[in-house]
Amino acid sequence: MEPEDLESRTPTAVRTVFGEHAESAAEFVAMLASHGVERGLIGPREVDRLWDRHVLNSAVLAELIPEGARVVDVGSGAGFPGIPLAIARPDLDIVLLEPMARRVEWLTEVVETLALSVSVERGRAEEKVVRRRIDVADVVTARAVAPLARLAQWCLPLVKPSGELLALKGQTAAEEIERDRSAVRKAGGGDPRIVRCGAAVLETPTTVIAIERVESGAPGVARKRGRKKH
Ligand SMILES: C[S@@+](CC[C@H](N)C(=O)[O-])C[C@H]1O[C@@H](n2cnc3c(N)ncnc32)[C@H](O)[C@@H]1O
């Protein structure tokens, strides 16, 4: 898809969500549809739904993120939701965290091509060395990375107290919350809430599980372990 397809394929929603940055969003779509497919970052069947299912679906998350926030996007893959967010909201300080070298290389190229002020870090969210390197953020985002319990264990330590984990989820959001509520609490999260974003612009709004970081996580377990050593 060429950037000029912006007008024909994507009407007002793109302008509404990206405003003056709509051309950058179209350039990202064009990169994904060509090199992204060739390099196996997205499947060829995704090309026709890049805008709705991926780019807009990610960018509407901006509704939940405060001005100037520091954001870590865990498991960015081909760039979701971190790249559309960075295009729509240049006020954010965004770090894209991704363990796979091939994807890190792609993300770095996208950031350079679109001249985005975003850092790309290689690593896994649960690694201590990674946590120390990237430090805590106001908001941690993740899409299609892991089931909620694991996501909470990996991501909540990266969230500042009172900050939030925003996990993009599909139809299973309510079930995941029921199943994993106690694991979320153990990992230092508050009561998960389901929020829908982009209702004004998307046929299917984005479903997000929002979890506030309320404590440092499993304090009882940590204390017990500490006592055993002495
Ligand atoms: C299914 S892909 C989703 C990519 C992207 N978020 C999206 O929605 O298109 C999952 C991504 O999470 C990354 N990932 C898996 N485990 C991770 C971890 N422990 N920490 C950070 N990223 C991880 C994978 O390398 C992969 O790129």
Side-chain angles (χ1 to χ4, degrees):
M1 188 188 303
E2 295 301 319
E4 56 266 28
D5 286 347
L6 179 64
E7 296 305 334
S8 55
R9 299 186 60 120
T10 57
T12 34
V14 176
R15 297 277 170 203
T16 306
V17 171
F18 289 102
E20 59 181 314
H21 310 293
E23 301 302 332
S24 286
E27 198 173 343
F28 179 46
V29 167
M31 288 178 82
L32 284 164
S34 53
H35 304 298
V37 173
E38 281 156 30
R39 289 159 64 173
L41 286 140
I42 54 152
R45 275 184 300 181
E46 297 307 308
V47 170
D48 283 342
R49 42 194 193 188
L50 279 173
W51 281 110
D52 283 352
R53 281 191 58 164
H54 300 283
V55 176
L56 288 166
N57 172 287
S58 295
V60 294
L61 198 58
E63 291 172 14
L64 304 180
I65 304 182
E67 177 81 20
R70 180 163 201 270
V71 178
V72 175
D73 181 32
V74 168
S76 302
F80 301 109
I83 296 282
L85 259 185
I87 296 170
R89 290 283 303 276
D91 60 291
L92 302 176
D93 172 9
I94 300 188
V95 179
L96 307 178
L97 178 64
E98 170 56 50
M100 284 191 60
R102 200 166 54 85
R103 294 178 184 159
V104 168
E105 200 180 307
W106 160 261
L107 292 168
T108 306
E109 280 172 38
V110 171
V111 165
E112 280 169 11
T113 306
L114 302 181
L116 299 172
S117 173
V118 164
S119 343
V120 181
E121 294 282 345
R122 184 170 179 198
R124 297 188 169 274
E126 68 275 26
E127 289 169 349
K128 278 191 188 141
V129 61
V130 170
R131 287 180 181 166
R132 274 198 296 271
R133 197 169 72 226
I134 62 180
D135 205 3
V136 286
D138 302 294
V139 173
V140 171
T141 57
R143 189 184 87 151
V145 174
L148 191 61
R150 205 175 314 146
L151 205 57
Q153 285 155 9
W154 289 352
C155 297
L156 283 168
L158 286 168
V159 182
K160 282 181 188 170
S162 304
E164 279 195 313
L165 166 62
L166 301 177
L168 282 76
K169 292 280 181 182
Q171 307 285 342
T172 60
E175 278 167 44
E176 284 205 56
I177 290 175
E178 280 318 303
R179 189 193 61 207
D180 294 341
R181 195 184 295 277
S182 76
V184 168
R185 199 172 305 124
K186 272 193 202 142
D191 212 16
R193 319 181 318 276
I194 294 182
V195 189
R196 308 218 194 258
C197 301
V201 286
L202 290 175
E203 210 172 288
T204 310
T206 303
T207 303
V208 179
I209 299 181
I211 302 172
E212 186 183 345
R213 160 117 186 239
V214 293
E215 52 179 275
S216 57
V221 176
R223 271 200 301 274
K224 270 182 218 151
R225 283 202 190 115
R227 269 203 303 270
K228 272 185 185 170
K229 283 184 185 165
H230 298 290

